[in-house]
Amino acid sequence: MSFSEHILAWYHQHKRALPWRETRNPYVIWLSEIILQQTRVEQGMPYFLKFVEELPNVTKFAAAEEATILRLWQGLGYYSRARNMHKASKYVMENHAGTFPVAYEELLKLPGVGEYTAAAISSFSNDEPRAVLDGNVFRVLARYFGIGEPINSSAGKKIFAGLAQELLDTDHPATYNQAIMDFGALQCKPKNPKCAECVLRLDCVALNTSRVAELPVKNKGKKSRDRFFHYFIVEKDDAVLMSQRTDGDVWANLYEFPLMESAGPLEIPELVAMEEYQQYFGHAIPEKIERTIKHVLSHQNIYASFYRMPKDVRLQSKKSHWNYCLSKKLDKLAKHKLISSFIERYF
């Protein structure tokens, strides 16, 4: 059997039962594809089900407030994806009269939809013969064919895109695309792939040359920078002071506790001596709640410290985006993972 025939035969025996595979609805498929970018299926599934339940069609998605979208997205990270989804839904309403497009070229015009996502939606919803090329597919092709060109280089992307399209079963593009993605996720895994029982093992270049652990190759990105965040819990009766982040930085428009940033880690006396701290809290001595938490983002390492302010603290002044919120209503605010996890532990 050919490579593609082996992949399809394997898939018919091992395919996963996933709800977005039970439909040709491009809106539902779009939801699943955007949610599962940089997210494992088991992690993304609850989010997918929640979005489908609350926003079952593109009309409702476009009409929703951004705060609602961000609240449903809370915990997935990469919040620009959620904002682009909102923009894309409005684009569909304005340019396609609310009918979600299925053609590859039209899908590429949607904010947040790149070549991979457009190929996936067009093939899964409309059997357009476009090969998908996600991390799983890169890995399978790099190992089977022994390709050492970095997958994130211009030359590498061109090589893999051409090969993926050449191998595509054009009679069954949707099934084949799902098959090779599942094969990479379940069989040719990043770590501990099941090589001994692999249907491709006899002709796999990486296996036969002991390069499975080396492939695929990926160029290293830019070095991450360290940032030091200090969060302050200020409570007043049954409410807690919250701050909404502004545009131009991570977590735009999401809610968190009042924050100050420093160039490095600080002990409490050093924190209290900061001019910015005294501007808002005077000389009040905060209580550090727990150890500093390291929160890793793409290209940033956040070192977050949380402090509880004294009950009788008097704010010397208050930023315009600091407002009190009833503690029992904190779950209604869209928050990033660092803050929502803290609230789960302490509120």
Side-chain angles (χ1 to χ4, degrees), residues 66-75 79 83 242-245 251-256 329-337 339-340:
E66 182 183 273
T68 299
I69 306 298
L70 293 175
R71 176 177 56 80
L72 291 172
W73 191 268
Q74 181 177 301
Y79 290 89
R83 295 188 183 91
M242 299 297 290
S243 171
Q244 186 174 26
R245 292 185 69 86
W251 305 317
N253 300 331
L254 298 180
Y255 285 87
E256 60 186 7
K329 292 188 175 181
L330 286 176
D331 61 334
K332 303 297 183 183
L333 299 180
K335 305 170 290 294
H336 52 86
K337 182 66 174 177
I339 296 302
S340 61

Side-chain angles (χ1 to χ4, degrees), residues 56-277:
N57 54 58
V58 70
T59 302
K60 289 189 178 296
F61 201 109
E65 297 291 332
E66 182 183 273
T68 299
I69 306 298
L70 293 175
R71 176 177 56 80
L72 291 172
W73 191 268
Q74 181 177 301
L76 270 178
Y78 301 96
Y79 290 89
S80 60
R81 286 187 289 167
R83 295 188 183 91
N84 279 332
M85 289 176 82
H86 205 201
K87 293 176 185 175
S89 66
K90 292 179 183 294
Y91 181 93
V92 171
M93 296 305 297
E94 294 168 5
N95 296 277
H96 295 278
T99 299
F100 210 95
V102 295
Y104 177 83
E105 296 297 340
E106 289 301 319
L107 288 162
L108 281 177
K109 297 175 184 177
L110 301 184
V113 172
E115 293 178 353
Y116 158 72
T117 305
I121 299 171
S122 64
S123 69
F124 300 154
S125 66
N126 197 41
D127 267 324
E128 191 168 336
R130 300 278 182 173
V132 299
L133 196 53
D134 72 345
N136 290 314
V137 180
F138 272 121
R139 187 165 58 256
V140 172
L141 297 183
R143 287 174 174 172
Y144 182 78
F145 292 98
I147 303 171
E149 194 72 40
I151 62 175
N152 57 341
S153 67
S154 297
K157 289 177 182 177
K158 186 174 181 179
I159 290 170
F160 282 99
L163 181 58
Q165 191 65 33
E166 180 184 333
L167 294 168
L168 178 69
D169 183 333
T170 54
D171 292 327
H172 309 95
T175 304
Y176 174 80
N177 279 332
Q178 295 283 17
I180 193 169
M181 291 166 68
D182 261 15
F183 190 85
L186 303 177
Q187 185 77 32
C188 194
K189 301 185 293 184
K191 296 181 179 179
N192 302 315
K194 301 176 182 178
C195 295
E197 56 193 74
C198 179
V199 295
L200 301 176
R201 65 187 181 279
L202 296 180
D203 298 309
C204 177
V205 174
L207 179 61
N208 293 317
T209 58
S210 301
R211 297 170 63 203
V212 172
E214 300 173 17
L215 297 174
V217 175
K218 189 174 184 179
N219 288 329
K220 292 183 178 179
K222 64 180 182 180
K223 185 179 178 182
S224 296
R225 66 174 175 133
D226 295 336
R227 301 179 70 180
F228 299 86
F229 286 5
H230 306 274
Y231 287 111
F232 302 96
I233 289 80
V234 182
E235 295 176 284
K236 180 179 179 182
D237 299 325
D238 296 325
V240 60
L241 194 62
M242 299 297 290
S243 171
Q244 186 174 26
R245 292 185 69 86
T246 54
D247 290 330
D249 200 354
V250 294
W251 305 317
N253 300 331
L254 298 180
Y255 285 87
E256 60 186 7
F257 302 112
L259 163 71
M260 293 178 191
E261 185 173 356
S262 63
L266 298 176
E267 297 296 329
I268 287 181
E270 297 173 299
L271 179 66
V272 174
M274 286 177 59
E275 182 178 345
E276 183 182 12
Y277 179 94

Side-chain angles (χ1 to χ4, degrees), residues 235-237 308-314:
E235 295 176 284
K236 180 179 179 182
D237 299 325
R308 192 180 301 279
M309 301 306 296
K311 289 286 186 183
D312 60 352
V313 67
R314 295 183 62 183

Side-chain angles (χ1 to χ4, degrees), residues 4-19:
S4 301
E5 289 170 334
H6 273 303
I7 292 290
L8 285 169
W10 175 92
Y11 181 66
H12 289 311
Q13 285 189 312
H14 302 281
K15 65 180 178 182
R16 293 177 289 186
L18 301 172

Side-chain angles (χ1 to χ4, degrees), residues 307-325:
Y307 307 86
R308 192 180 301 279
M309 301 306 296
K311 289 286 186 183
D312 60 352
V313 67
R314 295 183 62 183
L315 292 179
Q316 307 298 303
S317 59
K318 185 168 76 70
K319 294 184 180 181
S320 60
H321 53 274
W322 290 4
N323 292 289
Y324 283 98
C325 174

